[in-house]
Amino acid sequence: MKDIKLTLAILAVAIVWGTTFLAIRIAVETIPGWFVAGIRQLLAALILLIFLLFTKQLKWIGWKNLKTQLIFSGLMLIMANGLTTLSEEDVTSSLASLMSACSPILVFLGSVMIGLQKFSMKAVFGLILCFSGVLFIFWDGLQDLGNPDYRFGVILLIIAISSWAAGTIFTKKIALQNQNISLNLFYQFLFAGIVQIIFAFLFSKEYNFDKWSLKGISATLYLAIFGSVIAFFAFHYALKKVSAVQISILNYVNTIISIFLSWLILHESISAKFILAAVLIIGGVFMINYKPEMFKRKQIKE
């Protein structure tokens, strides 16, 4: 708490990323999902372009680095972020956030398969807790899967969290160095935004701009400015001060904030089984990823 900037950065990541599922749900009420995702990324790219021009950091990153950034953008932004946005046209924001909290399970299993991480009994218990939580999510809602729209939304979520996990493993595998984050992000956001806008015109059932509400447009702007730019910068600033393992704790806080806000603002129904599912999944993910250094101070060298 003595480091005010670090405290603000951590709060920004925890609170802002905890509100993104809510903002997406509000936006897609009147704006097609691909448009929400595409506009979000293009606006984020524009903000970064202005910043890079102002600081004279805009430059060509080379074909090799560009290929890496496009792969990362395709997995994390186009697929994971885009399909999550699209899924919230048919599922609640609380369900989307809770299922997204399962992505570390896939990251762990994928990392084990390619030799980046070792299996353990602790992980087995964690996986059992997580999958028990998933069962509780759909305990009373199996009949809802008979609804084609709801089923489609759930399938999109599964693909989205799988893509996020693949992107995370890809980052681990190639051991991305901390280069010019702003520059790399600019290329990622720009590519994702262009692709998603093309998808929006190709696949949206209708895109009558007159029906876009001020609330939906405001939510999209919030996602671009706060969800994509500010929170990401805060995340990387925090990484300079504390370890990635310690930052991972914020994933659990994000989910709790998201579910609470969905209940408070959107009046989404949160059953006792859903709360139990959240506890099991968060507990299981925590058990899988727990390391003693999570709660140890990191010595910072300025």
Side-chain angles (χ1 to χ4, degrees):
M1 294 298 292
K2 291 181 179 180
D3 191 329
I4 302 299
K5 290 183 180 179
L6 174 60
T7 302
L8 291 175
I10 290 175
L11 287 175
V13 174
I15 296 174
V16 173
W17 277 352
T19 62
T20 52
F21 290 96
L22 172 68
I24 289 171
R25 181 63 179 172
I26 292 173
V28 298
E29 287 178 354
T30 58
I31 305 175
W34 279 123
F35 276 107
V36 172
I39 293 171
R40 171 184 180 177
Q41 310 305 352
L42 284 179
L43 284 176
L46 178 60
I47 292 170
L48 285 176
L49 176 61
I50 294 171
F51 171 78
L52 291 168
L53 287 172
F54 182 77
T55 57
K56 298 181 179 180
Q57 296 182 59
L58 183 63
K59 62 181 179 179
W60 173 241
I61 59 175
W63 289 110
K64 183 177 180 181
N65 190 20
L66 179 65
K67 180 182 177 181
T68 299
Q69 301 310 320
L70 295 189
I71 293 173
F72 190 81
S73 177
L75 291 171
M76 306 291 275
L77 298 178
I78 296 174
M79 295 293 290
N81 182 266
L83 293 183
T84 297
T85 302
L86 203 63
S87 74
E88 288 202 47
E89 293 180 346
D90 301 306
V91 303
T92 62
S93 61
S94 53
L95 176 61
S97 65
L98 186 54
M99 286 192 65
S100 295
C102 296
S103 61
I105 305 172
L106 299 182
V107 173
F108 172 77
L109 292 175
S111 298
V112 170
M113 289 176 62
I114 63 176
L116 289 177
Q117 200 161 343
K118 293 183 179 179
F119 208 72
S120 65
M121 286 306 299
K122 175 173 67 73
V124 172
F125 287 118
L127 289 171
I128 291 173
L129 285 178
C130 288
F131 286 118
S132 299
V134 172
L135 290 177
F136 273 105
I137 291 177
F138 299 106
W139 186 287
D140 293 326
L142 286 177
Q143 67 275 12
D144 294 333
L145 293 174
N147 181 330
D149 291 335
Y150 179 81
R151 184 171 63 246
F152 182 63
V154 171
I155 291 172
L156 288 179
L157 273 176
I158 293 172
I159 298 173
I161 64 175
S162 300
S163 298
W164 185 271
T168 303
I169 294 170
F170 172 72
T171 304
K172 287 183 178 181
K173 186 67 176 177
I174 65 174
L176 280 176
Q177 298 299 315
N178 187 14
Q179 302 165 343
N180 190 325
I181 297 169
S182 305
L183 190 60
N184 289 341
L185 269 181
F186 165 70
Y187 283 98
Q188 290 176 27
F189 286 143
L190 182 62
F191 176 68
I194 292 172
V195 172
Q196 289 171 333
I197 288 296
I198 293 173
F199 284 175
F201 282 105
L202 289 176
F203 303 121
S204 298
K205 295 178 182 177
E206 62 176 63
Y207 41 87
N208 189 341
F209 302 120
D210 293 334
K211 293 183 179 179
W212 293 14
S213 69
L214 178 60
K215 186 169 67 172
I217 294 172
S218 300
T220 304
L221 290 173
Y222 175 84
L223 287 168
I225 298 170
F226 291 90
S228 289
V229 178
I230 293 179
F232 200 93
F233 271 96
F235 176 76
H236 280 277
Y237 176 83
L239 276 179
K240 294 179 180 179
K241 297 288 186 177
V242 297
S243 69
V245 178
Q246 290 170 313
I247 288 294
S248 68
I249 298 174
L250 294 177
N251 291 331
Y252 317 123
V253 180
N254 294 340
T255 304
I256 295 170
I257 290 176
S258 179
I259 293 173
F260 173 74
L261 290 178
S262 298
W263 168 80
L264 180 67
I265 298 175
L266 298 180
H267 308 293
E268 293 181 358
S269 177
I270 307 296
S271 66
K273 286 190 178 71
F274 192 90
I275 295 174
L276 180 57
V279 172
L280 289 172
I281 289 173
I282 293 173
V285 171
F286 181 82
M287 184 176 292
I288 290 170
N289 291 279
Y290 171 77
K291 293 180 181 178
E293 57 265 32
M294 274 184 168
F295 303 102
K296 292 181 181 178
R297 285 190 173 185
K298 181 180 177 182
Q299 296 297 323
I300 306 300
K301 294 181 180 179
E302 299 291 349

